Amino acid sequence: MTTNTGKLDDFEKLFNMALDMLCIAGTDGYFKVINPSFSRILGYNNGVLLENPFLEFIHPDDIEETIHEIEKLKDGINTVKFHNRYRRIDGTYRFISWSASVDPENGLLYCVARDVTEEKENASHLIQIQNVLNNETIVAMTDIRGTIIEVNDKFCDISGYRRDELIGQNHRILNSGNHPKEFFVDMWKTISSGKPWTGMIENRKKNGEHYFVQSIITPILDIQGKISNYLAIRFDTTKHIHIKQELKKTLSILNETGQIAKVGGWELDVKSDDLTWTDETFNILEVEKQANRKPILPEGLNLFTPTSKSIIENAVQRAIEFGEPYSLELEALTAKGNIIWIYTNGKANYENGEIVTISGTIQDINSRKIAEKQFEQERQKSIRNAKLASLGELAAGIAHEINNPLTIINGYAQLMTKQLNEPEKLNENIDEILKSCDRISRIVKSLKKFSRTSDQTNLSPHQLGGIVREAITLTDAKANRNLISITFSCNANGLIICDEIEIEQVIVNLINNAIDANKNNVEKWIKISTYETETDIFLIVTDSGSGISSDTIDRIFDPFFTTKKTGEGTGLGLSITKGILDDHNAIITVDEDSPNTCFKIQFTKYAENIYAY
Amino acid sequence: MPIKIIYLDDEEALCKIFSQYYGSDQVNIKTFVDANEAIKFCQVNPPDLFFIDYRLSGITGDDVAFAVEESIPKILVTGDISFTSKYNFHQVISKPFDFNKVQKLINHYL
């Protein structure tokens, strides 16, 4: 021992004050001398440590190795950083690192030990982290030029290269070619400045397939703080990307489908008021689609005309509050200021019993609506035309119908001037005059319907029989001229709710059609009859024709369908007939079982007692 | 010898009034509401004057005119406003007609 002071006290001080554990132990298994660090670290007093064999403090798993190490010492082999665990007084274990040598003369062991528990734990954490990275991620280490110097198994697995094919290669070997040059320039700029870079990289396997990896590339610094390597940690996200691509594809298919079908989709996030629209919704509402900007509910509601807005507002509100679904035909006011008819529906979507979104579709029905309106106008016009036409028919018929009774009145009046002295004859003649007057006033009555100018329907209860008779009055002249007899058998007294004029128009249409169809037949007649059941009243119009061929039956009620020659008919007759009957909730059918042409109309009987109180 | 006149009209009241008005010692009136009966009657007893209504049930005045002897003078009576006849009638009278004027016409054949 050497000291500058030459005092032995100095060594004793060193022994006592050292933070490391210093001791002399015997090969008999007992400590001989221990410094205070022992009791400080392990918590026992010196007596306990000296009076018990030291193996008793050692972790059972470490005893064997410790004995083996002591044997080596006895053979003169020094112990360097031998680790074992000592039990503290509180039962926990501390990792102790031993360095020791033996004095061959007395066999005593001279030991320096240190508590390395914390270092050991740290190292263990590091190892664990390293293990996780190695086992769970794709790891590669490159030098500063990007030459691969280390890869883990996962790297080999995903890339399809063997380790020896990768090491020494530049990382570019995996370049998919799908990233622009700037992408890598940016990456290198980041990592070469000492900062980690993260991003999604598309790489290419040895077999040419592509894979996607979420990557963290971090520079590794040497002790001087200079970049020595780059470490890349990656996760395979190919599946995720594929799902995303599939989703994108699905979405684009949806958008395309929507465009073709002219159906837009939309979803309202109830909490945020955010609206998600498909492309077609943008199209229909003529809103310009902006990236990263979603419309919100108030904007969506402003795309309706004031009248429609209050309707849709209420519907959406009720959907949000009560989950009520809706489907509406409304007028939209597009972003470009056009007013178009749209159909839209919506329903509430629940999550955990709560309404989270409202979603639905939107459809441009403008052309349909316009067509409907035009058809309605056509119908009104055609009804007017039909009225005018029958007025023409009537005028001709009326002349005849009125002229006959007029002749009678005239005749009797002139006769009576001769018969003034024969009172019994006068009475008889006055009767004839009155009868003729009745005839004329009946005809005049049938004219009254032509005086109505409004197109408004006027629903009230009527007996079908009366309407049929009026229709026959109007068409009789034409039928007579074509030598067609019209017979009517009335077997229904119940009432129907209808617009008398419209229903009369229907019957006139059917009779006129029957006359046109039969006028050149040898046998020609039209039979009209009514009958009733408990709930319905039926009108049957049969003519001497031989029926309607089954392939035309389906089309006869279509507008502009006609079997007449060009110029003979517009073809609107039966479609108008059906339109009017639809409005009356009446059903017109062709009786295919009849050997003749037979139309059957079913009206709902008016239950008078409903209105009795 | 009274002249024989036939009046054909499916309006029964008119037939009646025609007989009452014009029937006299000098004028013998026979009326028909059925065209075929009138035609048959004519074949056996050709009248001196034949009044035919145009619009009859199932047949027209034209048809009747063609069906009877051409030499019989025929007068068409019609309530229609506008119509064209294919038969060359002696005269066409529109309903309602002035009974006095027709009387003059009949007198013309006396």
Side-chain angles (χ1 to χ4, degrees):
Chain A
M1 284 188 205
T2 318
T3 72
N4 284 335
T5 57
K7 288 181 188 160
L8 211 66
D9 284 358
D10 287 340
F11 291 105
E12 202 174 324
K13 254 186 192 162
L14 174 66
F15 183 77
N16 285 332
M17 293 182 73
L19 291 173
D20 282 351
M21 299 152 85
L22 304 174
C23 72
I24 300 165
T27 45
D28 59 358
Y30 285 89
F31 289 122
K32 300 300 175 196
V33 185
I34 53 172
N35 76 343
S37 285
F38 270 85
S39 61
R40 180 173 50 80
I41 287 162
L42 297 175
Y44 307 102
N45 63 36
N46 282 357
V48 176
L49 290 165
L50 293 172
E51 282 154 25
N52 292 293
F54 54 73
L55 284 178
E56 287 200 358
F57 299 99
I58 292 171
H59 192 285
D61 292 349
D62 296 347
I63 288 173
E64 203 177 314
E65 267 187 79
T66 305
I67 292 169
H68 179 67
E69 196 63 27
I70 292 168
E71 291 304 316
K72 275 165 48 183
L73 270 170
K74 281 184 197 161
D75 291 344
I77 300 163
N78 286 344
T79 290
V80 180
K81 288 188 179 167
F82 168 72
H83 290 184
N84 63 7
R85 283 165 287 178
Y86 266 72
R87 191 178 64 251
R88 265 182 58 92
I89 192 164
D90 61 10
T92 62
Y93 284 89
R94 307 296 294 179
F95 274 96
I96 310 292
S97 170
W98 298 90
S99 295
S101 54
V102 69
D103 183 348
E105 283 177 20
N106 55 19
L108 288 174
L109 311 173
Y110 291 83
C111 314
V112 179
R114 177 181 287 177
D115 180 356
V116 294
T117 310
E118 269 159 40
E119 289 160 45
K120 197 82 177 168
E121 273 174 357
N122 285 344
S124 151
H125 287 167
L126 273 178
I127 286 165
Q128 284 177 47
I129 290 166
Q130 213 171 352
N131 282 345
V132 167
L133 282 178
N134 240 325
N135 296 335
E136 306 301 329
T137 73
I138 301 152
V139 185
M141 182 84 88
T142 71
D143 65 14
I144 52 169
R145 283 181 308 275
T147 307
I148 298 169
I149 54 176
E150 213 182 301
V151 291
N152 69 347
D153 290 346
K154 280 216 149 212
F155 195 110
C156 298
D157 289 347
I158 193 164
S159 68
Y161 288 103
R162 290 195 314 271
R163 185 170 273 103
D164 61 278
E165 288 176 310
L166 290 165
I167 297 201
Q169 292 290 334
N170 191 285
H171 204 286
R172 277 194 298 269
I173 191 174
L174 301 166
N175 194 340
S176 65
N178 281 356
H179 293 288
K181 220 175 146 190
E182 302 80 63
F183 179 83
F184 291 110
V185 170
D186 173 69
M187 183 190 90
W188 277 106
K189 223 174 174 177
T190 307
I191 56 176
S192 61
S193 72
K195 285 179 231 142
W197 178 93
T198 61
M200 180 72 68
I201 301 177
E202 184 177 357
N203 279 339
R204 195 181 55 212
K205 298 183 186 189
K206 190 181 177 183
N207 68 7
E209 278 176 35
H210 287 203
Y211 62 98
F212 292 86
V213 278
Q214 178 67 40
S215 308
I216 304 163
I217 303 173
T218 183
I220 302 289
L221 308 180
D222 64 13
I223 322 164
Q224 273 82 37
K226 256 179 64 191
I227 297 168
S228 61
N229 297 93
Y230 293 107
L231 174 70
I233 299 164
R234 299 179 170 99
F235 305 92
D236 181 4
T237 55
T238 310
K239 243 191 220 163
H240 180 72
I241 293 278
H242 281 164
I243 289 169
K244 245 174 141 175
Q245 283 174 338
E246 283 297 312
L247 214 65
K248 225 171 147 184
K249 220 157 91 189
T250 311
L251 209 65
S252 89
I253 290 170
L254 185 72
N255 271 331
E256 257 174 64
T257 314
Q259 239 149 34
I260 292 162
K262 302 254 178 243
V263 179
W266 62 269
E267 186 179 78
L268 167 72
D269 187 314
V270 169
K271 269 206 187 108
S272 66
D273 265 4
D274 272 347
L275 283 166
T276 307
W277 288 356
T278 63
D279 289 354
E280 187 58 19
T281 305
F282 281 97
N283 274 349
I284 291 170
L285 296 171
E286 299 188 303
V287 175
E288 214 164 293
K289 195 178 176 180
Q290 286 174 16
N292 302 323
R293 198 190 163 279
K294 280 186 174 181
I296 54 169
L297 183 60
E299 292 175 78
L301 293 175
N302 274 335
L303 290 163
F304 288 94
T305 62
T307 326
S308 289
K309 187 183 171 182
S310 58
I311 298 169
I312 185 85
E313 246 172 354
N314 184 42
V316 170
Q317 200 50 45
R318 292 189 75 82
I320 294 172
E321 267 181 55
F322 311 113
E324 276 181 21
Y326 64 84
S327 60
L328 300 164
E329 291 189 354
L330 297 170
E331 274 184 311
L333 176 64
T334 71
K336 288 186 180 164
N338 295 317
I339 292 174
I340 55 160
W341 277 98
I342 56 107
Y343 164 83
T344 184
N345 62 8
K347 64 166 179 47
N349 303 308
Y350 293 82
E351 219 166 78
N352 301 323
E354 238 178 88
I355 296 172
V356 285
T357 59
I358 309 291
S359 65
T361 62
I362 180 166
Q363 245 172 303
D364 181 350
I365 55 164
N366 205 40
S367 37
R368 193 196 86 198
K369 269 284 181 187
I370 287 171
E372 268 176 19
K373 273 194 178 162
Q374 275 174 346
F375 180 72
E376 182 54 29
Q377 278 166 5
E378 277 297 314
R379 204 186 101 178
Q380 292 294 353
K381 209 170 107 189
S382 173
I383 289 174
R384 270 196 300 276
N385 285 346
K387 275 185 197 167
L388 284 175
S390 49
L391 186 62
E393 298 273 350
L394 187 73
I398 263 175
H400 186 262
E401 292 303 307
I402 290 182
N403 282 339
N404 264 352
L406 265 184
T407 313
I408 295 167
I409 293 168
N410 186 33
Y412 276 115
Q414 292 188 35
L415 191 62
M416 279 155 79
T417 58
K418 282 181 164 185
Q419 297 173 330
L420 284 171
N421 48 355
E422 295 169 83
E424 74 284 357
K425 275 191 180 170
L426 279 181
N427 272 339
E428 197 187 311
N429 295 347
I430 286 167
D431 274 353
E432 288 295 338
I433 288 173
L434 290 177
K435 251 194 262 171
S436 298
C437 286
D438 271 353
R439 275 174 67 181
I440 294 171
S441 54
R442 188 161 58 83
I443 291 158
V444 171
K445 244 188 237 165
S446 73
L447 280 173
K448 75 166 191 256
K449 63 187 64 63
F450 294 98
S451 63
R452 199 179 68 173
T453 50
S454 162
D455 284 331
Q456 283 284 309
T457 50
N458 181 14
L459 296 178
S460 51
H462 291 279
Q463 271 187 338
L464 191 53
I467 301 175
V468 173
R469 284 189 193 97
E470 298 265 305
I472 294 172
T473 308
L474 291 183
T475 47
D476 223 9
K478 181 178 176 182
N480 273 334
R481 235 190 344 276
N482 291 290
L483 306 175
I484 295 174
S485 67
I486 302 177
T487 56
F488 174 44
S489 114
C490 181
N491 304 305
N493 294 314
L495 298 171
I496 58 168
I497 289 286
C498 68
D499 183 302
E500 180 189 11
I501 295 165
E502 290 200 344
I503 296 304
E504 188 179 322
Q505 202 55 58
V506 163
I507 302 166
V508 166
N509 261 340
L510 289 175
I511 295 174
N512 278 336
N513 281 348
I515 293 171
D516 290 341
N518 286 279
K519 58 186 171 194
N520 298 321
N521 291 355
V522 180
E523 189 194 346
K524 35 190 175 182
W525 47 261
I526 297 168
K527 283 178 188 160
I528 303 173
S529 63
T530 58
Y531 67 90
E532 61 191 311
T533 64
E534 212 163 291
T535 52
D536 299 290
I537 293 181
F538 291 86
L539 171 73
I540 314 290
V541 179
T542 313
D543 65 53
S544 45
S546 54
I548 297 166
S549 70
S550 57
D551 57 322
T552 49
I553 281 183
D554 294 339
R555 293 188 291 147
I556 54 169
F557 296 112
D558 293 347
F560 307 111
F561 175 80
T562 182
T563 54
K564 295 179 186 172
K565 282 184 208 133
T566 316
E568 278 186 5
T570 58
L572 267 171
L574 275 179
S575 79
I576 286 163
T577 299
K578 185 170 189 310
I580 292 172
L581 292 172
D582 285 347
D583 289 349
H584 283 80
N585 290 323
I587 304 158
I588 181 165
T589 48
V590 175
D591 184 357
E592 291 181 70
D593 296 331
S594 166
N596 297 103
T597 307
C598 178
F599 286 94
K600 186 175 183 178
I601 304 173
Q602 182 179 3
F603 293 95
T604 305
K605 203 190 236 176
Y606 167 52
E608 224 173 335
N609 52 352
I610 292 176
Y611 297 88
Y613 43 86
Chain B
M1 184 85 168
I3 63 158
K4 291 179 280 177
I5 296 178
I6 295 179
Y7 184 79
L8 169 62
D9 195 323
D10 55 0
E11 191 78 62
E12 213 157 335
L14 276 178
C15 293
K16 220 164 113 190
I17 202 169
F18 205 91
S19 316
Q20 284 190 38
Y21 201 97
Y22 302 115
S24 71
D25 298 342
Q26 292 174 303
V27 181
N28 186 355
I29 308 272
K30 180 91 184 153
T31 64
F32 290 92
V33 289
D34 186 294
N36 290 325
E37 278 179 28
I39 293 167
K40 269 190 225 157
F41 184 84
C42 277
Q43 284 161 355
V44 185
N45 311 292
D48 300 309
L49 193 54
F50 195 177
F51 286 88
I52 308 169
D53 183 41
Y54 183 74
R55 198 171 300 286
L56 298 157
S57 40
I59 192 165
T60 68
D62 273 7
D63 299 332
V64 177
F66 281 116
V68 299
E69 183 67 40
E70 206 190 329
S71 60
I72 301 169
K74 300 174 195 80
I75 293 170
L76 186 72
V77 182
T78 181
D80 284 331
I81 305 169
S82 63
F83 86 110
T84 46
S85 175
K86 288 176 206 127
Y87 190 83
N88 190 21
F89 288 95
H90 275 210
Q91 195 140 5
V92 176
I93 300 171
S94 286
K95 284 181 180 171
F97 48 83
D98 186 330
F99 278 69
N100 285 324
K101 278 186 185 163
V102 174
Q103 180 73 67
K104 282 176 191 153
L105 185 76
I106 293 170
N107 291 344
H108 185 76
Y109 287 88
L110 282 175

